[in-house]
Every structure is written in C-alpha cells, then in structure tokens.
C-alpha cells in the first residue's frame, strides 16, 4: 500500500518516501515532450494519487505536503529537464476551480483533512464496523465521537483525528 512499516518519532522522515516516489516519477518523464494538457493529466491522475492512501489514514506533516506541492509546481512550470521555469501564478491559484481561472490541482493539506473527515463520518455512520469499535474503545469509550477529549498520547492514527478534539 506504500505505507511505512514502522513510523518513528519523526513523521516527516517516516513519510518522506512519498516525496521521493513523486520526485522519481517526475524525473523519469521527458518533460520537453509533454504538452501543457499532458502535464495537467499526469499531475492530477498520477502524481497527486501517489500519497492518496497515506493521507486518507494519517495526518501528514504540513512541511512534507508543502514540499510535495513545490515538486508538483516545479514540474508544472518547467519546460526542460533542467531549470526551474518561470512561475507565472502561485500554486494556490492553480488549485482553484477551472471556472475561477485555476486548473483544479488539489491542495494536499485540505485533501488530507477531507479524507480524514471522511473516515470520521464512516465511524459515525457505521458504528458496528471493527475499525469503528476499536477506535471507540481506545479513544472515546465513555463519550460520543464529537465530544471526545484527547487523553494520553494517541497513536498516529488517533492523532490524525485531533481536529475533532480541539
């Protein structure tokens, strides 16, 4: 699935392999032969899909997500294998929807939060699932999911749902 087998103290170092996979994929493509539309398709369908499973389970460090977005922006604006290219618009602007002038690229931090919220919704709607029961027993045994308070030091999976507890 692409997830690290052991997550140490540094989440950044544990998930840095996602950034390296994206970098290797970008370097394997011949960018000078790609049209703008080709780059857009590759970013949306391949590069932004690489971290999708990991960000649906874990809250990744914002620094790592920003660095991945920087790799995507560098790929988007580069015209040759070497060189940076000229950044005519910010990545945030390119991430806006097409009818507002953007290209619809994902903001990985928001996408991370949305996928984690989807998991929370699943816990609430299907409380009899094994994963729902395990999380309830471990993190909010005596309260409702939305009223739970953090206790102790949660696992990385439990930590991912911290915004609910804030």
């Amino acid at each position: 699935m692409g997830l690290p087998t052991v997550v140490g103290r540094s989440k950044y170092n544990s998930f840095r392999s996602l950034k390296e996979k994206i970098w290797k994929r970008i370097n394997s493509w011949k960018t000078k032969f790609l049209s703008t539309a080709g780059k857009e398709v590759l970013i949306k369908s391949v590069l932004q899909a690489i971290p999708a499973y990991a960000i649906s389970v874990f809250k990744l460090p914002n620094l790592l997500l920003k660095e991945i977005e920087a790799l995507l922006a560098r790929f988007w604006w580069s015209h040759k294998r070497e060189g940076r290219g000229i950044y005519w618009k910010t990545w945030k602007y390119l991430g806006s929807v097409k009818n507002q002038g953007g290209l619809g690229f994902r903001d990985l931090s928001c996408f991370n939060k949305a996928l984690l919220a989807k998991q929370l919704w699943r816990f609430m709607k299907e409380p009899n699932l094994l994963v729902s029961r395990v999380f309830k027993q471990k993190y909010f045994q005596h309260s409702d999911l939305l009223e739970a308070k953090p206790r102790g030091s949660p696992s990385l999976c439990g930590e991912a749902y911290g915004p609910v507890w804030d």
Side-chain angles (χ1 to χ4, degrees):
M1 290 283 170
L3 294 178
T5 54
V6 176
V7 178
R9 290 181 155 237
S10 172
K11 284 196 304 184
Y12 178 87
N13 288 331
S14 298
F15 292 103
R16 188 176 51 198
S17 63
L18 294 171
K19 178 182 159 188
E20 292 168 1
K21 282 182 189 178
I22 292 170
W23 184 80
K24 286 178 185 176
R25 186 65 58 101
I26 288 172
N27 283 332
S28 69
W29 292 329
K30 306 258 189 277
T31 57
K32 63 183 175 185
F33 297 119
L34 291 173
S35 67
T36 305
K39 284 184 182 182
E40 179 183 355
V41 169
L42 286 174
I43 289 173
K44 288 180 178 178
S45 63
V46 178
L47 298 177
Q48 290 185 334
I50 290 173
Y53 184 71
I55 65 177
S56 71
V57 178
F58 297 103
K59 172 77 173 96
L60 295 186
N62 284 329
L63 175 63
L64 180 64
L65 295 175
K66 292 298 176 197
E67 288 177 357
I68 290 172
E69 286 178 347
L71 283 175
L72 299 179
R74 188 175 307 132
F75 172 68
W76 174 253
W77 291 114
S78 67
H79 298 292
K80 298 177 185 162
R81 199 170 176 92
E82 302 87 23
R84 261 185 59 181
I86 299 172
Y87 288 55
W88 294 103
K89 296 282 185 180
T90 64
W91 187 253
K92 185 174 182 171
Y93 178 82
L94 293 176
S96 59
V97 292
K98 286 190 173 187
N99 64 5
Q100 293 177 355
L103 292 172
F105 294 132
R106 289 185 183 132
D107 177 345
L108 293 178
S109 179
C110 291
F111 189 53
N112 191 190
K113 290 176 187 173
L115 290 176
L116 293 174
K118 182 179 177 183
Q119 294 291 350
L120 286 174
W121 181 255
R122 188 170 179 218
F123 290 167
M124 292 169 47
K125 288 298 179 184
E126 300 180 42
N128 292 326
L129 290 176
L130 178 61
V131 69
S132 302
R133 293 189 318 228
V134 167
F135 266 75
K136 177 158 181 65
Q137 187 68 29
K138 180 151 176 80
Y139 295 109
F140 51 98
Q141 185 175 7
H142 303 293
S143 64
D144 185 45
L145 172 67
L146 297 176
E147 297 168 355
K149 301 286 183 213
R151 56 186 181 129
S153 59
S155 69
L156 285 175
C157 288
E159 184 181 293
Y161 305 103
V164 172
W165 294 316
D166 289 339

